[in-house]
Amino acid sequence: MTDIATRGTRVVATTGGRSRHNGGGPRAGTIAAFLIPFFLPFVLFYLVPIAYAIGQSFLVVRRTGGQYGTSYTTFGGFDQYVQVFQNTEFWSSIGRIGLFGIVQVPVMLFVALIMALLLDTPLLKLKAFFRIAAFMPYAVPGVIAAIMWSFLYSPQLSPVVDLLKAIGLQPDFLGPGAVLWSAANVSTWLWTGYNMLIMFSALQAIPQELYEAAKLDGASNWAIAWKIKVPIIAPSIILTTVFSIIGTLQLYAEPAVLRQISSNISSTFTPNMLAYAVASGNNYQQAAAISVVIAVITFVLSFGFMRLTSKRAGL
Amino acid sequence: MSNQTAMRESRVSRTAVMALMFLLAIYFLLPIYFLIVAATKPQGDLASTFGLAFSHFDLFKNLGTLFSRSDGIFGRWALNSVIYAVLGAAVGTLISALCGYALAKFKFRGREFLFSVILGGVLVPTTALALPLFLLFSATGIVNTYLAVFLPSIVSPFGVYLARIFTAAAVPEEILESARLDGAGEFRTFFSVALKLLTPSLVTIFLFQFVGIWNNFFLPMVMLQKESLFPITLGLYEWNGQTARVSLLQESVITGALVSIVPVIIVFILLQRFWRTGLASGSIK
């Protein structure tokens, strides 16, 4: 990537240098004027909040003279983190989201990959239609998608429930065992097409000549897909996996909407919902510690996955 | 003969492939079709008629109810969403383009370091920032204002990343050199020469950021209490939580959901090629 990004930046020898000062490009002030409009808000709204959250997470609120004394905030070391790790609700939210991710991410990416490969073969007609149909959910905000699906899950309104009952089934999409997978389905619906398009774009960039030798040797479309195409687009598959892991750990909107119609989703269903619930209870330092832990887990998992897979794939 | 077998095989796999893709297409389109049907029904028919079949065509009546409910608050939400997303993405695209252009075309010390910080920023999910931002903004008093949602929305590290790649690919050094030799300053060169070459790429950056802001829910939910500042997503979420208590609200949630997704879907289909450019460069990563 760095290769591509810097290709255009090689400095062309300046001709004459009449209008240039010492031939080395624009002045520092000019460069700063290009960078500051982005970097100022970036620092203020990305870096400062991160630093602030980390700072808050090391504070505790104590009271002087028992329960009715005045409260004051002081340095508490790792107290907040100890509390996070002793919180059973935190662990169950992590467990839930782990189960969700282990099932939902591979299923979604597998479907996306199959669709991308099929769209890349001559076997298929109506390609534009299928591509648009799959990508359309990306235009739908997560909240709206969850509201739409919650109607399709609702025992009173859902045509899906009606149809399943007609063939003798008794589906309960909002029951205690099913509701996690109902939420997973909303995520799958939203993001499959997006991931599919990333993979499909990578497939389109492969030069056709690469397949021709294989075709002359009599390789089937199937073999070409799995033995040639998939390994080539491995970086895209890794990228979509990393984005999916990040997205899963941040899950909020979909379960929050389903919570409005199902009593089987608690206010601490996902780590993010827990952080929000704690912050709503005015325990900002604890909420900050939870946010930091979620961020660290996200970071470790996504980088760990990238490391692991890029070594394996020899990238 | 073996040729014939191969042809039969390919016909079988063709049919199987088409069948599979149609099933998937139904899965992706079913909720949207259901929403369209439900938005045309009177509230009473929602539960009593089959969800995938039209009954009374009450779409216009539903739209009337939707936009007049609570003194037309839905129109206000729609306007807010447009303000946050269009204005935020426009400002965001401009500052991303300036920064990405500088990172691609100017040589200065610390450039690669700044770029890695931005790449790190791409991996930071915006939901992770919302709570710390709330704590910070409560200290400065901009919580519960337009700015609380607008300001964080203009920052898009991914936009800078795209701008840098696109600039490197689409703006040849020679053209910039000749503009400079004509005596144009760096800003004039950027605005009069580079921006024109970058226009298609800027549309891509704008679209990604627009959808990001339009779909955002957690940030406004954390920041806003005043209903009149809500974007559509937050407004419909609140309504959806009240359907049990407020009569006929369910129909308004359905109609409102449809109204909120139709314009974006149309823009999507019209501007398809820009998505593919962006996603293709995303996959270079």
Side-chain angles (χ1 to χ4, degrees):
Chain A
M1 178 208 63
T2 333
D3 206 39
I4 292 158
T6 49
R7 196 185 296 152
T9 62
R10 72 203 186 305
V11 175
V12 174
T14 45
T15 37
R18 273 159 300 162
S19 59
R20 315 294 299 276
H21 46 91
N22 65 38
R27 254 169 300 160
T30 314
I31 296 175
F34 273 87
L35 296 177
I36 285 173
F38 174 80
F39 271 99
L40 184 69
F42 180 69
V43 169
L44 286 177
F45 308 127
Y46 260 72
L47 303 185
V48 172
I50 292 172
Y52 186 74
I54 294 172
Q56 285 286 310
S57 70
F58 286 104
L59 301 178
V60 286
V61 178
R62 296 227 165 84
R63 283 172 192 285
T64 52
Q67 210 182 341
Y68 299 103
T70 47
S71 65
Y72 64 100
T73 310
T74 180
F75 180 75
F78 286 94
D79 280 15
Q80 298 291 355
Y81 291 96
V82 173
Q83 267 193 54
V84 174
F85 293 122
Q86 286 174 347
N87 186 346
T88 49
E89 280 178 333
F90 172 76
W91 289 112
S92 37
S93 73
I94 290 284
R96 233 172 257 128
I97 223 66
L99 185 62
F100 178 107
I102 287 169
V103 176
Q104 190 266 338
V105 173
V107 168
M108 168 179 71
L109 294 180
F110 182 72
V111 174
L113 178 63
I114 296 288
M115 288 189 84
L117 288 170
L118 290 179
L119 283 171
D120 196 48
T121 62
L123 286 175
L124 199 64
K125 291 198 178 86
L126 297 172
K127 283 181 186 178
F129 164 74
F130 290 124
R131 216 177 46 223
I132 294 173
F135 192 49
M136 204 175 280
Y138 180 63
V140 179
V143 179
I144 309 285
I147 290 176
M148 275 157 68
W149 277 101
S150 66
F151 289 123
L152 294 174
Y153 296 148
S154 134
Q156 288 87 37
L157 301 186
S158 171
V160 179
V161 173
D162 287 347
L163 287 173
L164 291 173
K165 274 190 179 156
I167 57 168
L169 294 171
Q170 289 294 327
D172 180 9
F173 292 116
L174 302 169
V179 79
L180 181 68
W181 307 116
S182 297
N185 173 56
V186 179
S187 296
T188 308
W189 183 80
L190 272 170
W191 294 104
T192 302
Y194 175 83
N195 291 313
M196 179 274 285
L197 264 189
I198 291 181
M199 297 177 194
F200 179 67
S201 306
L203 284 171
Q204 296 269 293
I206 304 176
Q208 289 295 316
E209 299 85 68
L210 269 176
Y211 315 137
E212 255 142 44
K215 269 186 195 152
L216 285 178
D217 288 348
S220 64
N221 279 323
W222 186 255
I224 292 175
W226 290 109
K227 299 230 169 83
I228 302 179
K229 291 181 180 179
V230 172
I232 291 181
I233 63 160
S236 300
I237 300 175
I238 293 170
L239 178 83
T240 52
T241 313
V242 169
F243 280 157
S244 306
I245 292 172
I246 296 174
T248 303
L249 279 154
Q250 301 304 318
L251 203 64
Y252 184 91
E254 294 85 347
V257 170
L258 292 183
R259 181 172 146 76
Q260 295 178 322
I261 56 161
S262 171
S263 55
N264 293 309
I265 293 185
S266 64
S267 64
T268 59
F269 197 72
T270 71
N272 237 338
M273 288 170 81
L274 172 68
Y276 182 71
V278 171
S280 311
N282 286 334
N283 193 347
Y284 294 146
Q285 294 78 20
Q286 177 65 19
I290 296 172
S291 297
V292 171
V293 173
I294 299 171
V296 170
I297 295 176
T298 310
F299 192 78
V300 168
L301 278 183
S302 47
F303 270 84
F305 182 81
M306 266 199 271
R307 265 286 169 84
L308 191 82
T309 46
S310 47
K311 260 187 206 153
R312 283 254 177 91
L315 299 168
Chain B
M1 197 191 96
S2 78
N3 210 3
Q4 243 174 3
T5 328
M7 268 174 66
R8 196 176 323 128
E9 245 174 42
S10 102
R11 202 177 305 138
V12 170
S13 52
R14 233 171 253 261
T15 318
V17 161
M18 283 300 274
L20 176 68
M21 287 302 262
F22 266 113
L23 275 180
L24 286 166
I26 290 173
Y27 169 69
F28 290 119
L29 295 177
L30 181 81
I32 295 173
Y33 173 75
F34 167 79
L35 196 68
I36 293 170
V37 171
T40 66
K41 286 183 179 174
Q43 170 86 39
D45 282 7
L46 282 180
S48 63
T49 60
F50 182 58
L52 299 179
F54 288 92
S55 64
H56 278 287
F57 191 83
D58 262 6
L59 177 63
F60 296 106
K61 201 174 144 226
N62 291 338
L63 284 171
T65 317
L66 170 71
F67 280 98
S68 60
R69 193 176 278 284
S70 315
D71 299 324
I73 192 84
F74 184 81
R76 185 69 194 261
W77 293 340
L79 184 68
N80 290 343
S81 275
V82 170
I83 290 174
Y84 292 132
V86 174
L87 219 60
V91 174
T93 306
L94 180 66
I95 62 177
S96 296
L98 279 168
C99 185
Y101 174 84
L103 289 171
K105 291 297 177 194
F106 301 155
K107 241 189 158 183
F108 55 92
R109 225 200 291 169
R111 185 179 69 171
E112 290 313 313
F113 171 73
L114 288 183
F115 192 57
S116 356
V117 173
I118 291 172
L119 280 186
V122 173
L123 290 179
V124 176
T126 48
T127 30
L129 295 170
L131 277 178
L133 268 173
F134 169 76
L135 303 180
L136 211 59
F137 281 6
S138 346
T140 51
I142 43 175
V143 159
N144 218 8
T145 65
Y146 272 112
L147 285 180
V149 173
F150 180 80
L151 288 177
S153 301
I154 62 173
V155 186
S156 167
F158 186 59
V160 178
Y161 167 76
L162 287 179
R164 178 176 177 168
I165 294 183
F166 290 150
T167 306
V171 183
E173 200 66 37
E174 294 73 20
I175 292 185
L176 298 182
E177 264 322 297
S178 67
R180 284 170 189 150
L181 286 177
D182 288 345
E186 289 302 331
F187 276 98
R188 245 193 73 202
T189 310
F190 174 78
F191 281 106
S192 61
V193 180
L195 269 195
K196 261 179 217 145
L197 296 168
L198 284 172
T199 306
S201 325
L202 295 181
V203 175
T204 305
I205 297 172
F206 177 87
L207 281 176
F208 271 99
Q209 204 167 351
F210 172 84
V211 168
I213 303 173
W214 186 270
N215 292 0
N216 202 345
F217 167 67
F218 198 63
L219 181 72
M221 191 201 64
V222 167
M223 292 290 177
L224 305 174
Q225 277 98 50
K226 223 186 282 169
E227 274 201 344
S228 59
L229 300 178
F230 285 6
I232 288 185
T233 46
L234 187 54
L236 286 180
Y237 172 77
E238 295 274 306
W239 273 4
N240 197 45
Q242 300 163 5
T243 49
R245 276 167 284 141
V246 184
S247 67
L248 308 186
L249 190 54
Q250 200 163 46
E251 187 55 65
S252 287
V253 171
I254 290 173
T255 316
L258 183 66
V259 169
S260 73
I261 65 174
V262 164
V264 186
I265 288 180
I266 291 172
V267 170
F268 256 61
I269 294 174
L270 293 179
L271 299 179
Q272 262 201 82
R273 67 190 179 98
F274 294 104
W275 290 109
R276 289 183 46 198
T277 334
L279 292 169
S281 11
S283 61
I284 294 168
K285 286 207 288 192

